[in-house]
Amino acid sequence: DFSETGIDGSIVLERAMKESELFLKKKEKILVKVSQIESELDSRRKNFDNTQKDYQTKIQASKENVNRLREMQEETTNRIESNYYRKQQTQEIGKQEQYEQEFEQLRTKYLLEKTEGEEEIKKLNDELADYKTQVEEALKGVYATFFNKFCTSAEKVVNKVFEDKLNA
């Protein structure tokens, strides 16, 4: 209850309270969205890390198979077995390349999602900063009007007092 401050004062204070409440509600809503996006990004990062480990394991196993097949090919004297091992090596190298392509696609997708999330967070923070600036400017305008009215009113009172003293 700001009625004690007079009509002009109560208008300024009520407006300040209303704008502050609206700003805090909007800020809370934006911070919740930012928190959700950050947790999604964290979850995606963890998933990507796990996927990366899986693909590294698959690629390493494939490389070991290629080396094993190469050794077996070198040890054999049979031409048919040698061709069979060479064919398996080629297939295994093809698997490695496929794994690398799949991983690169997943990596690109992850980086794109990460960038989009970071841009969304930046957009929300910018929106909050813009809203805060708007509220500040509006309240400065209200205060300037109040101050001008106060000064005009005070000037009238002072002029009246001096006029009365001069007349007396």
Side-chain angles (χ1 to χ4, degrees):
D1 180 20
F2 301 113
S3 60
E4 296 174 9
T5 60
I7 293 174
D8 290 340
S10 68
I11 289 173
V12 171
L13 293 174
E14 286 174 10
R15 173 81 187 269
M17 289 293 291
K18 180 182 172 193
E19 291 295 337
S20 296
E21 288 171 357
L22 291 174
F23 174 75
L24 290 174
K25 286 179 186 176
K26 186 163 188 145
K27 180 180 179 181
E28 183 178 336
K29 192 161 83 171
I30 287 176
L31 291 178
V32 166
K33 285 181 185 179
V34 166
S35 177
Q36 288 174 341
I37 293 170
E38 286 175 341
S39 67
E40 286 176 17
L41 287 176
D42 189 47
S43 174
R44 287 180 179 155
R45 183 190 54 77
K46 289 177 183 175
N47 288 340
F48 177 73
D49 288 345
N50 289 336
T51 302
Q52 183 178 15
K53 288 176 187 174
D54 290 345
Y55 274 95
Q56 286 175 344
T57 302
K58 288 178 182 179
I59 290 171
Q60 183 61 34
S62 181
K63 286 180 182 178
E64 289 172 3
N65 284 341
V66 168
N67 289 337
R68 185 182 48 82
L69 290 168
R70 190 170 288 136
E71 288 173 3
M72 291 172 70
Q73 180 186 6
E74 291 171 359
E75 291 174 0
T76 187
T77 56
N78 187 338
R79 206 169 103 187
I80 294 173
E81 282 183 23
S82 178
N83 288 337
Y84 175 74
Y85 292 139
R86 188 175 309 135
K87 180 181 175 185
Q88 284 186 323
Q89 284 178 24
T90 305
Q91 289 174 346
E92 203 62 41
I93 290 171
K95 276 186 190 178
Q96 283 180 26
E97 291 172 354
Q98 181 183 358
Y99 291 147
E100 289 170 356
Q101 288 175 351
E102 289 173 2
F103 174 73
E104 204 48 46
Q105 289 173 348
L106 290 172
R107 183 178 165 275
T108 302
K109 180 182 175 188
Y110 165 73
L111 291 175
L112 179 66
E113 290 173 347
K114 179 183 173 193
T115 302
E116 288 173 352
E118 289 170 347
E119 287 174 358
E120 183 68 19
I121 289 172
K122 183 184 181 316
K123 181 180 145 191
L124 290 169
N125 285 330
D126 290 346
E127 181 182 327
L128 183 62
D130 289 344
Y131 186 65
K132 180 180 179 182
T133 302
Q134 290 172 4
V135 169
E136 287 173 350
E137 292 301 317
L139 289 176
K140 285 177 186 176
V142 170
Y143 180 76
T145 302
F146 166 75
F147 186 72
N148 287 337
K149 284 182 181 180
F150 175 77
C151 287
T152 303
S153 175
E155 188 178 325
K156 285 180 184 176
V157 169
V158 169
N159 285 340
K160 175 88 170 112
V161 168
F162 279 127
E163 187 178 307
D164 289 345
K165 283 191 176 191
L166 283 174
N167 289 338

